[in-house]
Amino acid sequence: MSALRFRYSTSLRRSRLKTGPSRGGDCHRARGPPDWQRLAAAINAEPWGQVARYVTEALQVVRPYGVAPLMECVVERARTRAERSERAEVARRVAGLLARSGLSRQAFAERLGTSASRLSTYLTGRVVPSAALLVRMERLASSQEDSR
């Protein structure tokens, strides 16, 4: 992705990218020049990476002209997808630790110092537990596993 260069191109003005709600600027439908597709791919791969940060900084200067609304949409959607995926991964880990412990949800929650309803929010991914609580869960699961 380091081959991506940020430069102004006259082809961007002539591109068929449509921006703004009045012109149908849904970013998932855009078919732009290869550079914009590569930018979108780099942003999707690393939503908080270097390319996404550069694009976000550039958008602060050019807003609301040209492809700025489209690129803002690309960054926003990539970050939303990444956050959703991260929440799901944490929920899977919590479920794995619960299973590994061999305890009921109620017992696991009590031993963690939380409620069963709060544990349920961790298991569904609605709430992400703190790093300290994750460490506590890992220790509890390990201690329960060792005692069997």
Side-chain angles (χ1 to χ4, degrees), residues 87-110:
R87 283 179 176 274
E89 174 62 27
V90 171
R92 278 191 295 278
R93 288 184 186 186
V94 171
L97 292 169
L98 173 61
R100 207 171 96 198
S101 75
L103 297 170
S104 68
R105 286 184 181 196
Q106 182 68 36
F108 192 73
E110 284 175 6

Side-chain angles (χ1 to χ4, degrees), residues 36-94:
W36 292 110
Q37 290 173 349
R38 290 176 55 215
L39 280 173
I43 291 167
N44 282 318
E46 294 183 48
W48 287 275
Q50 186 177 22
V51 173
R53 286 193 316 271
Y54 286 158
V55 168
T56 302
E57 288 173 20
L59 293 175
Q60 298 301 315
V61 177
V62 299
R63 190 178 294 131
Y65 305 105
V67 297
L70 175 69
M71 293 310 294
E72 286 173 337
C73 185
V74 168
V75 171
E76 181 183 330
R77 285 181 184 216
R79 289 180 175 173
T80 299
R81 273 193 304 275
E83 287 172 352
R84 211 175 300 134
S85 173
E86 291 160 359
R87 283 179 176 274
E89 174 62 27
V90 171
R92 278 191 295 278
R93 288 184 186 186
V94 171

Side-chain angles (χ1 to χ4, degrees), residues 99-147:
R100 207 171 96 198
S101 75
L103 297 170
S104 68
R105 286 184 181 196
Q106 182 68 36
F108 192 73
E110 284 175 6
R111 301 275 302 271
L112 291 173
T114 191
S115 66
S117 63
R118 176 54 75 172
L119 178 60
S120 177
T121 64
Y122 299 148
L123 291 166
T124 61
R126 282 186 307 229
V127 176
V128 177
S130 68
L133 188 57
L134 277 173
V135 169
R136 203 177 313 157
M137 288 178 191
E138 289 173 359
R139 288 180 181 159
L140 176 58
S142 292
S143 72
Q144 288 302 116
E145 208 173 39
D146 292 342
S147 67

Side-chain angles (χ1 to χ4, degrees), residues 1-8 35-36 38-39 51 54:
M1 292 303 155
S2 62
L4 291 173
R5 299 282 184 244
F6 292 90
R7 66 185 185 282
Y8 179 78
D35 285 344
W36 292 110
R38 290 176 55 215
L39 280 173
V51 173
Y54 286 158

